[in-house]
Amino acid sequence: MTMHHIIKSLFAATVLLSATAAVQAAEVEVLHYWTSGGEAKSVAELKKMMEAKGISWKDFAVAGGGGENATTALKARVIAGSAPTAAQIKGPSIQEWGQENVLANIDAAATEGKWDATLPKVVSDVMKYKGHYVAAPVNVHRVNWLWVNPEVLKKAGATTPTNFDEFFVAADKIKKAGLIAIAHGGQPWQDATVFESVALGVGGADFYKKALVNMDQAALTSPTMLKTFDTLGKIKTYIDKDAPGRDWNLATAMIINGKAGMQFMGDWAKGEFTAAGKVAGKDYLCVAAPGTEKAFTFNIDSLAMFQVKDPATQKAQLVLASTIMSPEFQEVFNLNKGSIPARAGVSRAKFDACAIKSMDDMDAANKVGALVPSMAHGMAVNSAKQGAITDVIAKFMNSTMSSKDAVAALAKAAKTR
């Protein structure tokens, strides 16, 4: 063999080795806080799907329900110049990271997957920064649910409420029957969850948008907001004395065990009923919070993509985005999580009555402009505003603060930068 041939063969072998190394080097590192049972199962499915496509998965799970710990870990990594491939971020935080100029443009995956056509505009807008996709949504949680134990209602001679007048009639009857009318966990985020459903039920979607999304001072100081706090104050009187500090799932257990009649909580509560072997529509009811039947407050989990230098990782990142948006993943993730797919075109066959109602209600609300972001769950305003507003609501729930004073404090909190 001539020297020329030897060099040629060596060159060919080097090219082959480089190509193989590039394939092996395709890895995605994903920072997330899906660590509870159903969530962890869903992440394992995503990992399996990626590995089937020849991409290795480096898990960066940070425990802590609300994601505060994950945010701290992410900031440290980005400052150090070693951002993960993707991180679980949601709502206005996506825009905040976009402004730092660290997010990756994933339009290529979105164009190929026709994301604009398969996502409601309200949802796709959250996933974009300056008109370009930078994140992929994994689900939609509906927040404005009321969970009901029909057996408790029956015992009390009460009927399922559709508005606040009916709600208080039912609550009185449950209380008279010697049971707890409203299961609640006295934690600031849970107080805020009840508050936003009350604001939506009292004022409707347009009022909700003006007050809790646009932070419009006229709406925040209006008689409607005063009525919202009056209603919340009345709800307070039906909550048991052991509520302070109680976790949300323990409040849901009170509904499951027949100790309480009703709970305001997002659809993650459904996982608790399912785990207890309860059947939707029979053992428990999922109804829209009083007065909110035609509206839908959403909380969306998503993975935002960060700028990475390695071309193999950039390609793997687009594969990750496409996989997240695939009907297969959206189905399995949401069956485990209790939420519904973010995109259209996913089979409903395996979803239960509550999920199907959620899908129908989301479509209907989207058509009339009543699909609105959840303030309590970080989808409507930045974290500083959300924190200030939540503090006001928690103070109102845990003191003798008047509705009038609460309205003034809320309007002031909305000016937080």
Side-chain angles (χ1 to χ4, degrees):
M1 193 183 267
T2 66
M3 185 56 83
H4 173 70
H5 281 112
I6 290 168
I7 290 168
K8 210 171 160 187
S9 307
L10 278 171
F11 179 71
T14 311
V15 168
L16 191 67
L17 275 170
S18 312
T20 316
V23 170
Q24 286 168 342
E27 175 187 77
V28 289
E29 185 187 14
V30 183
L31 188 157
H32 64 88
Y33 47 93
W34 289 309
T35 51
S36 79
E39 297 170 340
K41 258 196 228 166
S42 305
V43 174
E45 286 294 333
L46 185 56
K47 179 184 175 181
K48 215 161 72 185
M49 286 177 183
M50 290 301 284
E51 285 173 350
K53 293 174 184 179
I55 295 165
S56 65
W57 175 281
K58 191 176 176 188
D59 204 50
F60 187 176
V62 183
E68 295 83 3
N69 304 346
T71 304
T72 307
L74 178 62
K75 280 177 182 160
R77 285 287 301 271
V78 174
I79 289 164
S82 64
T85 323
Q88 185 185 350
I89 306 173
K90 61 182 195 179
S93 296
I94 295 172
Q95 303 305 310
E96 287 169 23
W97 281 105
Q99 284 155 15
E100 297 298 323
N101 202 22
V102 290
L103 297 182
N105 180 327
I106 54 166
D107 283 345
T111 306
E112 192 190 346
K114 300 186 171 64
W115 292 11
D116 276 349
T118 56
L119 291 171
K121 188 177 182 302
V122 182
V123 176
S124 61
D125 283 350
V126 177
M127 301 302 132
K128 291 175 181 177
Y129 177 67
K130 290 192 171 170
H132 298 287
Y133 277 99
V134 291
V138 294
N139 66 348
V140 174
H141 278 295
R142 186 184 197 178
V143 180
N144 62 313
W145 280 120
L146 183 73
W147 304 92
V148 179
N149 182 319
E151 202 50 44
V152 170
L153 288 189
K154 204 171 144 189
K155 262 187 207 160
T159 53
T160 309
T162 61
N163 57 42
F164 277 112
D165 290 342
E166 292 172 7
F167 176 83
F168 290 121
V169 168
D172 279 332
K173 287 183 174 174
I174 296 166
K175 206 171 171 181
K176 273 194 187 117
L179 295 160
I180 296 161
I182 300 164
H184 181 65
Q187 294 171 336
W189 74 268
Q190 292 191 62
D191 294 338
T193 299
V194 179
F195 166 81
E196 73 173 21
S197 282
V198 174
L200 185 64
V202 168
D206 284 343
F207 166 75
Y208 179 97
K209 275 188 272 194
K210 279 181 193 151
L212 300 182
V213 182
N214 303 333
M215 298 282 125
D216 174 73
Q217 284 291 317
L220 287 163
T221 54
S222 66
T224 310
M225 189 54 83
L226 191 68
K227 193 180 174 190
T228 297
F229 275 107
D230 284 344
T231 308
L232 190 63
K234 195 170 176 185
I235 286 171
K236 220 163 60 163
T237 64
Y238 296 93
I239 295 168
D240 68 302
K241 65 177 187 340
D242 298 325
R246 179 189 285 144
D247 284 331
W248 69 268
N249 53 323
L250 298 180
T252 305
M254 291 163 67
I255 304 286
I256 294 169
N257 304 331
K259 288 183 179 153
M262 305 178 280
Q263 181 190 17
F264 290 89
M265 190 48 63
D267 56 17
W268 45 91
K270 198 173 69 175
E272 299 298 307
F273 289 102
T274 307
K278 304 295 180 190
V279 179
K282 183 174 138 263
D283 303 314
Y284 67 97
L285 310 175
C286 47
V287 295
T292 73
E293 179 62 44
K294 303 235 177 333
F296 190 114
T297 38
F298 65 80
N299 176 20
I300 301 172
D301 288 312
S302 52
L303 284 177
M305 305 295 163
F306 280 77
Q307 287 171 16
V308 283
K309 289 192 178 78
D310 179 43
T313 311
Q314 288 170 2
K315 276 186 187 154
Q317 195 173 49
L318 292 173
V319 174
L320 174 63
S322 300
T323 308
I324 289 164
M325 274 288 283
S326 68
E328 297 76 21
F329 176 69
Q330 295 258 329
E331 179 187 75
V332 72
F333 185 92
N334 290 294
L335 285 170
N336 284 332
K337 189 94 159 59
S339 42
I340 61 171
R343 57 160 298 157
V346 177
S347 165
R348 295 180 167 206
K350 293 178 186 167
F351 287 93
D352 65 19
C354 291
I356 287 167
K357 177 168 170 51
S358 196
M359 290 175 196
D360 289 342
D361 289 356
M362 180 166 105
D363 287 344
N366 185 38
K367 285 182 183 126
V368 296
L371 183 57
V372 293
S374 165
M375 182 282 299
H377 295 274
M379 297 301 302
V381 292
N382 68 37
S383 49
K385 273 190 175 60
Q386 184 197 346
I389 289 165
T390 302
D391 286 347
V392 171
I393 298 159
K395 189 179 175 190
F396 177 80
M397 290 294 279
N398 294 290
S399 71
T400 54
M401 186 183 207
S402 71
S403 296
K404 198 178 161 205
D405 288 347
V407 166
L410 186 75
K412 191 179 168 194
K415 291 178 177 168
T416 307
R417 289 195 176 276

